[in-house]
Amino acid sequence: MQTFGLIGKKLTHSFSKRYFTEKFKKENIQNAIYELFELPTIADLPALIKNQPHLKGLNVTIPYKLEVLPFLDNIDVAAQKIGAVNVIKINDNRTLTGYNSDYYGFKESLLTFLHHSNRLPISSMSEKMKSLKALILGTGGASKAVRVALEDLEIPYLSVSRTITKETANANNHILTYEQLDENILKSHQLVINTTPLGMYPQIEACPEIPYQFLTSEHYLYDLVYNPESTLFMQNGAGKGAKVINGLQMLYLQAEKSWEIWNQ
Ligand code: NAP
């Protein structure tokens, strides 16, 4: 039997457990189980690895995505750049390698979104991407994976935050407040990515405060929020003719990436 699981402090409802339990059933993977491991502190991780000899892989959730770093033997390049790990592979010699699957989920889903929106072959995508600039709304955990993915895709971006502190200014080369967003910025930044939790169920009447009146059919709105399927941010964009996508595909892709990492 191979064990996979999720570590976090309080694990009430878990997308990952549901996803992998259904996957194992659907794909007739009989020798695998996915369990929840609540750790009061991340210092309990080495004991978990020792006591669970069949453990092959872990997902990591709040509040341990950063705290877990010192407990790992190796960290994948993208995860290092992001500074956060949400997947751990337990190698045959019981060493631990950390990855960030949000990075892969976002990057792959963005490419598919642009590909489908433009009806362009993948081979012409780099040309299209060269013409794109992005706005990243929010400067939290998920925004870091988005930033590194955009850097790797060579899409220039500006971050947008409610407040600019010394810390966020240092971490984000180019940062604006929502009040600074005007017609020129919206015109020159056609990819707008919501990494804030605004609009997520049950607060479905909320959306980031950007000047939606300047959006056009040339814009692409990517919402990391996946519940509801159509957020107010997406509806506002679609109303102006923009192409829109929610965070569901990213969510599934990041889960599948975990599986690929654990089995590679
Ligand atoms: P987080 O660390 O709490 O960061 C969210 C950021 O949003 C904050 O740092 C803040 O940035 C901004 N923000 C928070 N509350 C706000 C408000 N009331 N008004 C305006 N801005 C606000 O959260 P996260 O872990 O990055 O997750 C963000 C969202 O992405 C969540 O909804 C999460 O479910 C979703 N997500 C989806 C996927 C997926 O696979 N689809 C993966 C990861 C996360 P400023 O202080 O700079 O304004």
Side-chain angles (χ1 to χ4, degrees), residues 108 110-116 119-129:
E108 290 307 309
L110 176 65
L111 288 173
T112 310
F113 173 45
L114 295 176
H115 172 55
H116 287 307
R119 300 182 194 282
L120 283 176
I122 294 274
S123 54
S124 323
M125 290 279 299
S126 62
E127 280 312 305
K128 175 71 204 169
M129 286 191 315

Side-chain angles (χ1 to χ4, degrees), residues 53-64:
H54 303 298
L55 201 56
K56 273 200 78 180
L58 289 168
N59 289 120
V60 183
T61 189
I62 295 165
Y64 298 138

Side-chain angles (χ1 to χ4, degrees), residues 102 138-142 161-162 195-198 200 224-226 247 250-251:
D102 282 342
T139 59
S161 177
R162 291 165 298 174
T195 76
T196 80
L198 288 173
M200 189 157 79
L224 262 66
V225 172
Y226 45 83
M250 172 175 171
L251 192 66

Side-chain angles (χ1 to χ4, degrees), residues 64-82:
Y64 298 138
K65 290 185 185 184
L66 307 182
E67 287 181 35
V68 77
L69 296 180
F71 293 87
L72 304 174
D73 300 286
N74 299 293
I75 303 173
D76 159 76
V77 178
Q80 263 179 45
K81 279 204 259 175
I82 294 161

Side-chain angles (χ1 to χ4, degrees), residues 180-201:
Q180 289 173 292
L181 296 178
D182 60 16
E183 187 169 4
N184 277 338
I185 291 171
L186 264 292
K187 226 180 185 167
S188 54
H189 293 77
Q190 294 176 340
L191 173 60
V192 187
I193 304 158
N194 177 33
T195 76
T196 80
L198 288 173
M200 189 157 79
Y201 182 83

Side-chain angles (χ1 to χ4, degrees), residues 36-239:
L36 300 180
F37 299 106
E38 281 195 357
L39 302 183
T41 129
I42 192 63
D44 294 334
L45 179 62
L48 175 76
I49 305 291
K50 198 168 160 215
N51 297 335
Q52 295 279 339
H54 303 298
L55 201 56
K56 273 200 78 180
L58 289 168
N59 289 120
V60 183
T61 189
I62 295 165
Y64 298 138
K65 290 185 185 184
L66 307 182
E67 287 181 35
V68 77
L69 296 180
F71 293 87
L72 304 174
D73 300 286
N74 299 293
I75 303 173
D76 159 76
V77 178
Q80 263 179 45
K81 279 204 259 175
I82 294 161
V85 156
N86 71 333
V87 180
I88 300 173
K89 178 176 164 66
I90 296 134
N91 303 301
D92 291 343
N93 62 2
R94 309 304 284 168
T95 58
L96 307 181
T97 308
Y99 299 83
N100 189 304
S101 67
D102 282 342
Y103 162 88
Y104 293 99
F106 173 73
K107 199 165 111 182
E108 290 307 309
S109 58
L110 176 65
L111 288 173
T112 310
F113 173 45
L114 295 176
H115 172 55
H116 287 307
S117 307
N118 293 293
R119 300 182 194 282
L120 283 176
I122 294 274
S123 54
S124 323
M125 290 279 299
S126 62
E127 280 312 305
K128 175 71 204 169
M129 286 191 315
K130 275 191 193 128
S131 68
L132 271 184
K133 286 187 193 167
L135 291 177
I136 306 176
L137 313 178
T139 59
S143 80
K144 293 185 187 159
V146 167
R147 285 198 319 247
V148 174
L150 292 183
E151 281 162 17
D152 289 354
L153 291 169
E154 300 184 32
I155 298 178
Y157 62 83
L158 287 174
S159 292
V160 186
S161 177
R162 291 165 298 174
T163 47
I164 302 180
T165 61
K166 229 183 185 171
E167 205 185 3
T168 53
N170 284 340
N172 300 268
N173 292 341
H174 304 289
I175 187 159
L176 297 175
T177 61
Y178 289 89
E179 291 73 32
Q180 289 173 292
L181 296 178
D182 60 16
E183 187 169 4
N184 277 338
I185 291 171
L186 264 292
K187 226 180 185 167
S188 54
H189 293 77
Q190 294 176 340
L191 173 60
V192 187
I193 304 158
N194 177 33
T195 76
T196 80
L198 288 173
M200 189 157 79
Y201 182 83
Q203 265 89 42
I204 60 170
E205 300 302 326
C207 64
E209 287 188 23
I210 62 165
Y212 291 95
Q213 67 272 26
F214 301 132
L215 295 177
T216 66
S217 58
E218 299 297 307
H219 282 86
Y220 303 84
L221 265 57
Y222 191 131
D223 201 337
L224 262 66
V225 172
Y226 45 83
N227 181 16
E229 279 191 33
S230 175
T231 62
L232 187 55
F233 172 71
M234 292 164 65
Q235 290 165 27
N236 288 343

